[in-house]
């Protein structure tokens, strides 16, 4: 899955994404395992999410270098947020819509999940949500020692 995400986020087009969406059911067993692991909690879930975060940091960095992803003030924090957001929304969706689904029904449920969330996710990530950056600017003024803007030179004079 890491390789597929990296491929999607470095080619800069929708072609790879559309090809992956066409065959999303092939990832259903891995996603089911991920869901069950997160729902069970404990050390396995903690280790799994940390690996996912590390993978996300890596492919987001590669995507930044490829000019497809905007730089972040805090790349590690962004990767952690995205991993939490993705796994949390998936756990919630499947808890609400497929908690009792048999293993042979899971691929169809996973397709439905992808169909439900792809458009709003792409819209949010490509067009944004807020109409201006005033909330970010106010927050950066509020926090002590805000991180430098993406791409800013932080070396001392």
């Amino acid at each position: 899955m890491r390789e597929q995400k990296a491929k999607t986020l470095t080619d800069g087009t929708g072609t790879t994404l559309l090809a992956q969406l066409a065959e999303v059911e092939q990832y259903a067993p891995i996603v089911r395992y991920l869901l069950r692991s997160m729902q069970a909690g404990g050390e396995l879930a903690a280790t799994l999410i940390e690996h996912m975060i590390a993978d996300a940091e890596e492919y987001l960095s590669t995507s930044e270098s490829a000019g497809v992803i905007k730089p972040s003030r805090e790349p590690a924090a962004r990767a952690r947020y995205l991993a939490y957001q993705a796994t949390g929304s998936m756990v919630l969706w499947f808890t609400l819509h497929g908690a009792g689904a048999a293993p042979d029904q899971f691929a169809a449920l996973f397709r439905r999940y992808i169909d439900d969330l792809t458009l709003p996710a792409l819209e949010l990530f490509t067009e944004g949500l807020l109409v201006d950056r005033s909330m970010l600017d106010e927050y950066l003024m509020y926090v002590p020692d805000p991180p430098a803007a993406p791409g800013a030179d932080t070396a001392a004079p």
Side-chain angles (χ1 to χ4, degrees):
M1 285 187 81
R2 177 187 63 199
E3 290 172 10
Q4 293 304 312
K5 285 184 179 187
K7 189 185 305 182
T8 300
L9 291 175
T10 55
D11 83 355
T13 71
T15 305
T16 303
L17 173 67
L18 293 175
Q20 290 169 347
L21 288 174
E23 299 178 357
V24 75
E25 290 85 357
Q26 71 178 319
Y27 303 108
I30 296 169
V31 170
R32 190 165 191 267
Y33 175 78
L34 170 70
L35 283 170
R36 296 296 184 236
S37 299
M38 291 298 137
Q39 289 169 330
E43 191 174 326
L44 174 63
T47 300
L48 185 56
I49 195 74
E50 289 304 320
H51 283 293
M52 291 173 62
I53 291 164
D55 289 347
E57 281 186 71
E58 188 178 315
Y59 64 71
L60 289 170
S61 175
T62 301
S63 300
E64 278 185 30
S65 298
V68 177
I69 300 284
K70 292 180 180 182
S72 172
R73 286 172 183 78
E74 295 283 337
R78 175 177 63 182
R80 181 168 298 280
Y81 171 78
L82 289 171
Y84 284 172
Q85 178 190 41
T87 55
S89 70
M90 195 178 304
V91 168
L92 177 61
W93 192 95
F94 281 96
T95 299
L96 296 174
H97 301 288
D104 63 334
Q105 298 171 321
F106 191 82
L109 276 173
F110 185 50
R111 164 60 65 193
R112 193 170 130 212
Y113 168 77
I114 293 298
D115 289 347
D116 282 357
L117 298 182
T118 299
L119 176 61
L122 286 172
E123 180 181 72
L124 181 64
F125 289 133
T126 59
E127 296 178 344
L129 179 67
L130 303 173
V131 297
D132 64 37
R133 55 176 281 143
S134 59
M135 279 193 210
L136 174 62
D137 292 339
E138 299 251 349
Y139 177 76
L140 292 174
M141 293 300 293
Y142 168 77
V143 295
D145 254 351
D153 184 8
T154 57

